């Protein structure tokens, strides 16, 4: 590993300044006909030629300092528009039979494609492919993640430029056949096109030199561009003159390059030889270079090193998974980003069964038998509603995966899954269905793969992307021949911005939605409740979401699942990872970048499951019309304390009434009632409503009947005397404060019985509640 580290650090040092000239061979790069050498870049990424001084190199570079749409960018939601492959019509030659010109520009290596037939149809305009060149590491950052390389395909139409930036990831394998496809999930072979091109690198050892590549096929690249979605935005060239108005399109699929080829230093050593030589002989440039490039130098080296190190760790783990195949060979080869190379026999059987079931070739009686318990509970009509329902689950991690599993098992037959992320090792403590063999594949794919084995008739619509407001119309669009709108949307997102965007959209468009709040740092499943967004005061994620929604005009009407559990001494909380944790082993899976200090949100694996099943329960009851009258939840703990105080005050008042009004008699009186008892009576017995009128505000607990004997129990004498009330749970009834005042006057201090004050229905209701309390009081 030490030698690998050394190699990568050298590679990073050589390549970090070497970002390509995107304008090569365009109207910005007019070259002399018949020239034997190619022009070498005069700009750099260090010292006096570095980015902060590009605008001083030439007046034509002024926009490098003043531009407002400069590339590259971090490809996060809101920075691009996601479009289908059909929006771009790319035509490439199937084979470049005679090879192509391969040039060392001193700042990058470039393959010349001018006149070879490559075209791009974009927004009604036709562009010609002039060249493609390479960057290490990738110029664009994919939602905070840098790829080892990026290829830029430069298309031109007069003075207009369009660039397709294709990420390049690393794999162990080298292609065995020239046309083998490698980008889709399910394969992991290096690109024959890239391997062929880079095999000619020795021919352009010196900056300014040129050679000819061997013949290479572009079929795999054409297939990628014809099937991938694209992240589109308007940006600029990434090098001087930094011209803006460039139409950028970045496909969501990647090309792959073998690690063996990537680690051949010659590819990058040669193309930067002259630049490094010039820098090494100029002390001023050396000093400036150290200051300016140190951040990029270290970042590039560490990103490349971390990526390989993480990939190696995950591959080692996966290679140890026992085989389920008869010949005892490996189940499949996986990498940390590309997914499985092929499905195992069980997967294939499940997929075949699912295709039959979804085509109608599956006995409906078998489905009804599998759903028999739900059918009895929900009624046949309710189950029919559930089976025809369409539910969208946004976020397929711990909460979302358990919710999805419950929905599929319960009968929902159309489920759209939206999540950009992949299964990681750290996901396995809380994910509903993921196994070690699923590490590295998209979470949406993992759920479909595992749940088809349980409910093959369920249709899944997989959307491996991050939800954001500009994609809401598409991600929440109707589905199926009947254009059915979502019957319910599940918000299982843990990001404030996207959560607010989703809830706002559903609120404005009348889509039923339920939002799961924070399961992190929670440990008490009895504190998880369903309540309106306006009542969730104790949950941090809910509180932040609620405040943001209020600013957007949404104050209520969104059911949420949240916990009333409070933080306390000894409980988990968000903290930096202690240094000693790094000494125990690898912790890279806890953060975005492996081996960096991270802040993590502790999650007890059981709690996301409770949240997820609570969400699914709400969705199922809502769709089927099953009664669900949730308790109002606002200020429950404070309410319990207030009710306990009302009980204490009522007992003291009753004792003074029994003893002729002596105020000293009630001093020190203890009442054998706890907040747990209060919660039980209020929530479980009286459902948070007055037993008299059903009102839910200004509630108190008071005695139902007037005591016939002294309520005080005395033990001991003098200073050691203990005074307590003989109050039992069966003595208490819930009513409003105003009703309690009247009840105290007429019953507790008057001569009337409850039967004289209330009608028969109220009395019967209270007596039935008292009997129910008696059944449970023995468990106190």
């Amino acid at each position: 590993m030490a030698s690998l580290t050394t190699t990568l650090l050298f590679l990073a040092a050589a390549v970090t300044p070497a970002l390509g000239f995107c304008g090569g061979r365009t109207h910005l790069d007019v070259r002399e006909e018949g020239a034997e050498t190619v022009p070498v870049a005069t700009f750099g990424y260090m010292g006096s030629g570095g980015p902060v001084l590009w605008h001083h190199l030439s007046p034509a570079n002024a926009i490098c300092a003043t531009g407002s749409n400069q590339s590259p960018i971090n490809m996060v939601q809101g920075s691009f528009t996601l479009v289908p492959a059909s929006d771009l019509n790319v035509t490439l030659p199937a084979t470049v039979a005679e090879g192509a010109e391969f040039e060392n520009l001193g700042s990058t290596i470039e393959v010349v494609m001018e006149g070879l037939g490559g075209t791009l149809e974009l927004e009604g305009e036709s562009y010609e492919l002039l060249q493609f060149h390479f960057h290490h590491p990738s110029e664009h950052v994919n939602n905070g993640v840098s790829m080892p390389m990026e290829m830029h395909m430069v298309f031109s139409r007069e003075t207009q430029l369009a660039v397709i930036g294709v990420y390049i990831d690393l794999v162990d394998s080298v292609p065995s056949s020239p046309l083998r496809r490698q980008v889709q999930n399910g394969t992991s072979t290096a690109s024959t096109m890239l391997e062929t091109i880079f095999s000619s690198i020795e021919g352009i050892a010196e900056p300014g030199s040129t050679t000819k590549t061997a013949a290479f096929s572009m079929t795999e690249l054409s297939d990628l561009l014809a099937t991938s979605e694209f992240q589109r935005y308007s940006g600029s060239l990434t090098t001087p003159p930094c011209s803006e108005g460039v139409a950028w399109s970045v496909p969501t699929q990647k090309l792959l390059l073998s690690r063996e080829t990537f680690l051949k230093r010659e590819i990058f050593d040669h193309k930067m030889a002259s630049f490094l030589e010039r820098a090494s002989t100029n002390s001023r440039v050396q000093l400036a270079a150290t200051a300016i490039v140190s951040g990029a130098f270290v970042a590039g080296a560490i990103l490349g090193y971390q990526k390989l190190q993480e990939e190696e760790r995950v591959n080692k783990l996966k290679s140890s998974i026992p085989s389920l195949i008869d010949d005892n060979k490996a189940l499949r080869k996986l990498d940390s980003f590309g997914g499985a190379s092929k499905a195992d026999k069980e997967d294939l059987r499940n997929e075949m069964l699912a295709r039959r079931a979804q085509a109608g070739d599956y006995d409906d009686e078998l489905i009804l038998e599998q759903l028999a318990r739900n059918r009895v509970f929900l009624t046949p009509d309710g189950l029919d509603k559930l089976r025809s329902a369409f539910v969208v689950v946004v976020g397929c991690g711990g909460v979302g995966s358990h919710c999805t599993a419950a929905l599929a098992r319960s009968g929902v037959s159309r489920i759209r899954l939206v999540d950009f992320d992949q299964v990681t090792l750290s996901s396995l403590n809380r994910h509903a269905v993921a196994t070690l063999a699923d590490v590295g594949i998209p979470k949406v794919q993992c759920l479909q793969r595992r749940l088809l084995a349980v409910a093959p008739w369920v249709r899944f619509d997989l959307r491996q992307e991050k939800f954001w407001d500009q994609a809401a119309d598409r991600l929440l669009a109707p589905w199926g021949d009947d254009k059915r709108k979502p019957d319910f949307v599940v918000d299982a997102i843990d990001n404030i911005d996207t959560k607010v965007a989703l809830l706002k959209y559903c609120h404005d468009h009348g889509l039923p939605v339920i939002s799961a709040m924070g399961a992190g740092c929670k440990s008490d499943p009895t504190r998880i409740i369903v309540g309106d967004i306006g009542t969730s005061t104790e949950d941090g994620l809910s509180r932040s979401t609620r405040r943001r929604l209020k600013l957007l005009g949404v104050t209520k009407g969104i059911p949420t699942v949240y916990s009333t559990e409070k933080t306390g001494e000894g409980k988990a909380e968000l903290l930096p990872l202690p240094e000693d944790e790094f000494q125990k082993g690898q912790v890279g899976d806890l953060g975005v970048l492996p081996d960096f200090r991270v802040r993590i949100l502790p999650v007890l694996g059981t709690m996301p499951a409770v949240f997820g099943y609570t969400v699914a329960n709400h969705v199922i009851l809502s769709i089927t019309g099953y009664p669900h009258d949730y308790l109002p939840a606002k200020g429950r703990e404070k309410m319990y304390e207030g009710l306990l105080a009302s009980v204490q005050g009522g007992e003291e008042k009753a004792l003074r009434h029994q003893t002729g009004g002596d105020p000293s008699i009630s001093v020190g009186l203890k009442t054998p009632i706890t907040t747990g008892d209060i919660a039980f009576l209020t929530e479980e017995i009286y459902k948070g409503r007055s037993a008299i009128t059903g009102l839910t505000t200004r509630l108190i607990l008071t005695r139902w009947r007037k005591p016939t004997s002294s309520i005080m129990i005395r033990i001991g004498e003098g200073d050691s005397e203990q005074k307590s009330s003989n109050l039992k749970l069966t003595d208490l009834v819930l009513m409003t404060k105003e009703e309690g005042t009247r009840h105290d006057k007429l019953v507790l201090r008057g001569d009337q019985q409850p039967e004289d004050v209330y009608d028969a229905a109220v009395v019967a209701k209270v007596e039935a509640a008292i009997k129910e309390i008696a059944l449970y009081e023995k468990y106190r």
Side-chain angles (χ1 to χ4, degrees):
M1 186 60 72
S3 61
L4 174 60
T5 305
T6 302
T7 300
L8 284 167
L9 288 175
F10 184 91
L11 183 151
V15 182
T16 299
L19 301 182
F21 178 42
C22 285
R25 295 194 170 266
T26 70
H27 65 285
L28 301 172
D29 179 37
V30 180
R31 303 183 185 181
E32 182 181 349
E33 292 186 11
E36 295 183 358
T37 61
V38 297
V40 176
T42 58
F43 64 89
Y45 277 72
M46 300 190 300
S48 59
V52 297
L53 298 177
W54 279 351
H55 60 290
H56 287 305
L57 297 179
S58 167
N61 300 346
I63 198 171
C64 294
T66 61
S68 59
N69 291 302
Q70 291 288 294
S71 299
I73 63 172
N74 183 11
M75 305 297 278
V76 296
Q77 74 164 53
S79 65
F80 60 83
T81 300
L82 191 68
V83 302
S86 58
D87 278 20
L88 287 78
N89 183 13
V90 182
T91 301
L92 300 176
T95 302
V96 182
E98 298 182 2
E101 293 294 323
F102 195 18
E103 303 176 342
N104 183 338
L105 303 182
S107 61
T108 189
I109 48 180
E110 178 179 282
V111 177
V112 180
M113 294 295 296
E114 188 173 5
L116 296 182
T119 61
L120 167 65
E121 297 291 334
L122 182 65
E123 296 179 345
E125 302 290 349
S126 180
Y127 296 75
E128 180 188 3
L129 176 61
L130 300 183
Q131 49 95 349
F132 56 86
H133 57 268
F134 302 91
H135 304 257
H136 167 76
S138 65
E139 291 216 334
H140 290 95
V141 180
N142 186 18
N143 198 26
V145 179
S146 178
M147 292 289 113
M149 294 182 68
E150 184 175 345
M151 179 177 76
H152 286 176
M153 305 173 65
V154 181
F155 297 82
S156 176
R157 185 183 68 84
E158 297 177 351
T159 61
Q160 298 297 312
L161 297 180
V163 182
I164 297 179
V166 184
Y167 293 125
I168 301 176
D169 208 342
L170 304 180
V171 289
D172 290 317
S173 56
V174 176
S176 57
S177 61
L179 295 180
R180 184 167 180 177
R181 192 175 178 184
Q182 85 306 340
V183 180
Q184 304 273 1
N185 289 330
T187 60
S188 55
T189 305
S191 162
T192 57
M193 183 189 79
L194 295 182
E195 297 290 332
T196 301
I197 290 172
F198 287 144
S199 69
S200 302
I201 195 71
E202 297 295 340
I204 51 172
E206 297 297 327
S209 61
T210 181
T211 188
K212 197 91 167 182
T213 70
F216 58 89
S217 168
M218 302 192 77
T219 303
E220 59 193 5
L221 179 58
S222 295
D223 290 346
L224 182 152
L225 299 177
T227 58
S228 176
E229 292 182 306
F230 289 83
Q231 299 169 338
R232 292 203 55 213
Y233 76 98
S234 179
S236 73
L237 295 178
T238 59
T239 62
C242 308
S243 305
E244 295 187 343
V246 176
W248 278 95
S249 302
V250 180
T252 56
Q253 297 186 37
K254 306 183 292 288
L255 284 172
L256 301 180
L257 179 68
S258 71
R259 184 178 289 101
E260 178 184 359
T261 299
F262 178 74
L263 291 179
K264 287 181 179 178
R265 301 193 302 215
E266 290 78 8
I267 293 177
F268 304 103
D269 294 357
H270 291 324
K271 73 184 180 70
M272 283 304 296
S274 62
F275 180 83
L276 292 178
E277 183 177 341
R278 292 195 302 270
S280 65
T281 58
N282 187 322
S283 59
R284 294 178 62 190
V285 171
Q286 287 178 341
L287 182 60
T290 301
I292 297 175
V293 83
S294 59
F297 172 92
V298 175
I302 292 177
L303 283 168
Y305 172 56
Q306 287 173 340
K307 190 172 186 63
L308 297 179
Q309 189 181 46
E310 179 188 21
E311 200 167 338
E312 181 180 3
R313 293 199 306 269
V314 176
N315 279 334
K316 285 181 179 179
L317 173 64
K318 290 177 177 178
S319 65
S320 69
I321 299 173
S323 172
L324 297 179
I325 301 177
D326 296 339
D327 59 7
N328 292 320
K329 293 182 179 179
L331 181 64
R332 57 185 170 273
K333 295 293 184 182
L334 298 169
D335 61 56
S336 60
F337 301 100
S341 60
K342 63 178 181 179
D344 59 30
K345 291 181 179 179
E346 185 68 15
D347 287 336
L348 293 175
R349 189 192 73 84
N350 293 335
E351 290 173 8
M352 292 176 62
L353 182 61
R355 283 197 292 270
R356 286 180 49 198
Q358 293 170 19
D361 185 16
Y362 197 94
D363 192 341
D364 197 59
E365 290 301 318
L366 294 178
I367 300 177
L368 292 178
E369 182 177 348
Q370 185 169 335
L371 301 174
R373 300 300 178 93
N374 271 12
R375 191 183 190 198
V376 172
F377 189 94
L378 299 171
T379 74
D381 181 59
L383 183 61
D384 287 344
K385 292 178 181 178
L386 199 61
R387 290 185 62 189
S388 64
F390 165 34
V391 178
V392 180
V393 179
V394 186
C396 298
V399 174
S401 65
H402 282 280
C403 175
T404 302
L407 294 174
R409 290 178 183 273
S410 298
V412 177
S413 59
R414 282 191 281 185
I415 303 176
R416 178 177 293 159
L417 302 176
V418 182
D419 197 304
F420 71 96
D421 207 359
Q422 296 164 323
V423 177
T424 65
L425 290 176
S426 63
S427 303
L428 301 186
N429 84 313
R430 59 195 182 277
H431 199 278
V433 297
T435 69
L436 283 171
D438 296 314
V439 173
I441 72 172
K443 290 179 178 178
V444 294
Q445 181 186 350
C446 170
L447 277 170
Q448 179 193 42
R449 174 187 183 188
R450 298 302 177 188
L451 292 177
L452 283 180
V454 177
W457 59 83
V458 177
R459 297 177 185 270
F460 290 97
D461 180 18
L462 306 185
R463 305 295 182 92
Q464 190 191 356
E465 59 183 285
K466 193 172 184 178
F467 183 91
W468 54 301
D469 51 0
Q470 294 187 37
D473 286 332
R474 177 170 49 81
L475 295 178
L476 300 178
W479 180 25
D481 295 337
D482 58 351
K483 299 298 182 182
R484 189 182 185 101
K485 293 183 178 180
D487 293 277
F488 232 97
V489 177
V490 172
D491 162 31
I493 306 172
D494 56 8
N495 175 275
I496 292 291
D497 291 336
T498 48
K499 179 178 285 287
V500 170
L502 173 61
L503 297 178
K504 170 67 172 172
Y505 183 92
C506 291
H507 179 272
D508 292 350
H509 291 79
L511 293 178
V513 63
I514 182 170
S515 179
M517 296 302 167
C521 298
K522 307 298 184 184
S523 61
D524 187 352
T526 67
R527 300 297 183 92
I528 297 175
I529 60 175
V530 181
D532 189 84
I533 185 69
T535 69
S536 49
T537 58
E538 300 298 337
D539 178 77
L541 179 60
S542 179
R543 182 167 55 251
S544 299
T545 303
R546 185 178 65 251
R547 289 175 178 174
R548 291 274 295 274
L549 286 172
K550 281 184 176 180
L551 294 175
L552 298 174
V554 181
T555 60
K556 60 181 180 178
I558 298 175
T560 61
V561 176
Y562 65 96
S563 172
T564 61
E565 181 180 356
K566 298 180 180 180
T567 59
E569 185 175 356
K571 289 189 175 183
E573 56 184 332
L574 180 65
L575 290 173
L577 194 68
E579 187 64 34
D580 57 356
E581 289 298 319
F582 281 89
Q583 306 305 320
K584 295 178 182 179
Q586 300 295 344
V587 296
D589 287 328
L590 300 177
V592 175
L593 294 177
D595 303 326
F596 274 71
R597 187 176 302 276
V598 292
R599 284 171 62 84
I600 60 174
L601 184 65
V603 180
L604 186 63
T606 56
M607 296 303 286
V610 181
F611 273 75
Y613 282 114
T614 304
V615 170
N617 188 79
H618 177 86
V619 173
I620 292 168
L621 298 185
S622 299
I623 290 175
T624 60
Y626 193 90
H628 54 290
D629 186 15
Y630 297 124
L631 298 173
K634 190 170 185 177
R636 307 311 285 181
E637 298 297 330
K638 292 182 178 179
M639 186 183 76
Y640 299 152
E641 294 171 1
L643 288 169
L644 184 59
S646 73
V647 170
Q648 178 69 32
E651 289 302 283
E652 292 175 359
K653 185 186 296 184
L655 181 58
R656 290 194 296 270
H657 178 70
Q658 285 185 333
T659 57
D662 181 7
S664 63
I665 193 67
S666 62
V667 175
L669 181 69
K670 299 181 183 300
T671 304
I673 302 294
T674 67
T675 53
D677 297 328
I678 298 294
F680 170 73
L681 291 173
T682 305
E683 313 286 26
E684 301 298 328
I685 302 300
Y686 294 108
K687 310 301 182 185
R689 298 179 181 277
S690 164
I692 310 303
T693 59
L695 296 177
T696 61
T697 56
R698 292 172 58 85
L699 298 174
I700 65 168
L701 281 165
T702 186
R703 285 181 179 262
W704 176 238
R705 296 187 181 275
K706 183 177 182 179
T708 57
S709 60
S710 175
I711 65 171
M712 185 170 64
I713 301 174
R714 277 183 162 173
I715 300 176
E717 296 178 353
D719 293 338
S720 62
E721 182 185 41
Q722 174 184 287
K723 294 186 291 185
S724 64
S725 165
N726 65 358
L727 184 66
K728 297 180 181 179
L729 296 186
T730 49
D731 295 327
L732 294 170
V733 64
L734 189 69
M735 57 181 67
T736 67
K737 187 173 182 180
E738 292 77 6
E739 293 162 359
T741 300
R742 177 172 178 266
H743 185 79
D744 179 72
K745 178 181 179 181
L746 299 178
V747 177
L748 301 183
R749 288 194 290 170
D751 297 322
Q752 299 186 59
Q753 296 295 320
E755 290 79 1
D756 302 324
V757 178
Y758 307 106
D759 61 36
V762 170
V763 172
K765 179 180 178 181
V766 175
E767 294 298 330
I770 290 173
K771 288 181 180 179
E772 186 178 0
I773 296 168
L775 293 175
Y776 290 94
E777 193 165 33
K778 61 184 178 182
Y779 297 113
R780 292 179 65 204

